[in-house]
Amino acid sequence: MTACPIIIDCDPGQDDAIMLLLSLASPDELDVLGITTVAGNVPLAFTSRNARILCDLAGRQELGVYAGCSRPLVRRLVTAEEVHGKTGIDGIEITEPITPLSDIHAVDFLVETLSAAEKNAITLVPIGPLTNIAAALIKAPEIAEKIREIVLMGGAMREGGNTTPSAEFNIYVDPHAADVVFRCGRPIVVMGLDVTHQVLTTQARLKRIKALNNPVADAAHNMLAFFDRHDVQKYGSDGAPLHDPCTAAYLLQPELFKAKTCNLEVEIHAELTMGHTAVDFWQVTDRPKNVQWVHEVDSDGFFDLLIERLGRY
Ligand code: RIB
Ligand code: CA
């Protein structure tokens, strides 16, 4: 089986970090063509540095890391240091990374890489605000046909919002970019809070990661131990939802997930519900079914996969 070419667009973030480590531990299935970074959990300078630190940690200093947009298309940037800490990846030591930062802008990397590809060739995996992806589609609409599918983390339907009562963080930060992406016409798999809130980093699961006893698993454990504290207090749950790695797990073992083809539209006008993802789950409208809305996951199977892959480092 040939590995699936993917581009990961991220805003590390501890959960982004785990998604990167899971993806980079799976070279037989996922061919990471490059990592693009966007402002989100923390400002762009930090998300770009953090992506490089994670490439160092994974032993992949040759990977291209491309800094992208430093603010949303229209609105001002909203960050989430209260969740991720000031560095964005609190829980591990911050050192000057070896992995270089490319001088090519992320949007240009996306446009150039997709322009040079065959039709339906590359899977995009955005796990932060969708600013870079939207900007690339606006700059070069012809790249859309080169996208095999988009597997993204964002949105909420049955779960309330985690940033406002109505909206999940990635979509809330840049709702206009999300609107562009959801209207792009390519196959889109959406990992919203409805599914990510089913994969909790319980104490038992953290212990299994710690028991792997390798430097990467230790770093993953320490980041998750930090990441846990905010959401455990917020939700009163045994562990925090592990959002972003659901995208990589879907690409590796799609059978772990259940999805339904639905229409999804984003609120970009009303401030009260800004960034809300209106998912027509029961098809009460005749709006086009533009996404696969993922609503169920085998959470034990998800963690078995994650822990097995972290054990490969
Ligand atoms: O709402 C969760 C999402 O927002 C995750 O991608 C997390 O990293 C933050 O970006
Ligand atoms: Ca993220």
Side-chain angles (χ1 to χ4, degrees):
M1 178 182 99
T2 52
C4 172
I6 69 170
I7 295 173
I8 300 169
D9 186 72
C10 58
D11 63 333
Q14 289 89 350
D15 59 323
D16 302 70
I18 305 303
M19 183 273 182
L20 288 168
L21 294 175
L22 174 56
S23 301
L24 296 176
S26 311
D28 293 342
E29 298 104 321
L30 302 176
D31 176 12
V32 181
L33 303 179
I35 297 170
T36 54
T37 59
V38 67
N41 287 319
V42 286
L44 180 67
F46 286 13
T47 59
S48 303
R49 176 204 61 194
N50 294 345
R52 296 163 60 203
I53 288 173
L54 289 154
C55 288
D56 288 358
L57 181 63
R60 296 295 302 277
Q61 290 90 345
E62 86 291 349
L63 259 180
V65 177
Y66 305 85
C69 298
S70 60
R71 50 147 294 189
L73 294 184
V74 175
R75 292 167 67 87
R76 67 173 181 79
L77 177 62
V78 171
T79 54
E81 286 87 349
E82 73 283 0
V83 179
H84 299 274
K86 187 146 178 46
T87 71
I89 50 172
D90 280 30
I92 62 171
E93 186 192 354
I94 301 299
T95 53
E96 187 53 33
I98 297 167
T99 303
L101 181 66
S102 171
D103 56 11
I104 299 171
H105 191 282
V107 173
D108 293 329
F109 170 74
L110 286 160
V111 170
E112 289 161 19
T113 306
L114 287 161
S115 298
E118 298 296 317
K119 280 189 179 179
N120 305 316
I122 296 175
T123 295
L124 301 185
V125 192
I127 51 176
L130 291 162
T131 317
N132 290 338
I133 311 300
L137 287 166
I138 291 167
K139 179 173 184 178
E142 67 277 8
I143 64 174
E145 66 177 9
K146 307 299 184 74
I147 301 169
R148 178 178 176 179
E149 71 177 346
I150 298 171
V151 181
L152 69 86
M153 192 279 140
M157 186 203 42
R158 292 208 174 102
E159 285 290 324
N162 60 4
T163 303
T164 72
S166 312
E168 175 278 329
F169 180 81
N170 289 339
I171 309 301
Y172 176 73
V173 168
D174 199 339
H176 300 91
D179 188 51
V180 168
V181 172
F182 284 119
R183 293 180 188 279
C184 76
R186 302 308 294 149
I188 305 176
V189 176
V190 185
M191 295 283 171
L193 300 182
D194 293 21
V195 68
T196 67
H197 278 208
Q198 298 175 36
V199 288
L200 301 178
T201 53
T202 63
Q203 288 307 306
R205 287 162 174 165
L206 283 178
K207 282 195 180 76
R208 287 175 62 195
I209 292 172
K210 186 72 180 160
L212 291 171
N213 199 23
N214 72 50
V216 173
D218 283 348
H221 171 273
N222 295 342
M223 281 188 282
L224 290 175
F226 178 89
F227 181 61
D228 246 9
R229 84 220 182 288
H230 178 273
D231 283 358
V232 163
Q233 191 176 11
K234 181 175 181 177
Y235 299 114
S237 51
D238 175 14
L242 195 46
H243 307 287
D244 293 337
C246 286
T247 57
Y250 174 83
L251 290 169
L252 293 169
Q253 289 184 8
E255 65 277 10
L256 291 173
F257 299 88
K258 283 191 182 148
K260 185 174 184 181
T261 307
C262 300
N263 171 264
L264 183 157
E265 296 198 7
V266 182
E267 176 61 71
I268 57 172
H269 301 293
E271 192 57 43
L272 175 64
T273 51
M274 184 61 68
H276 174 68
T277 45
V279 179
D280 187 2
F281 195 80
W282 299 117
Q283 287 143 39
V284 295
T285 74
D286 57 1
R287 292 198 290 252
K289 297 175 184 172
N290 56 332
V291 305
Q292 288 288 324
W293 178 257
V294 184
H295 55 88
E296 200 173 317
V297 58
D298 167 2
S299 57
D300 288 334
F302 169 88
F303 278 97
D304 287 348
L305 169 65
L306 173 61
I307 290 162
E308 186 273 324
R309 296 297 159 105
L310 288 176
R312 295 187 180 188
Y313 281 101

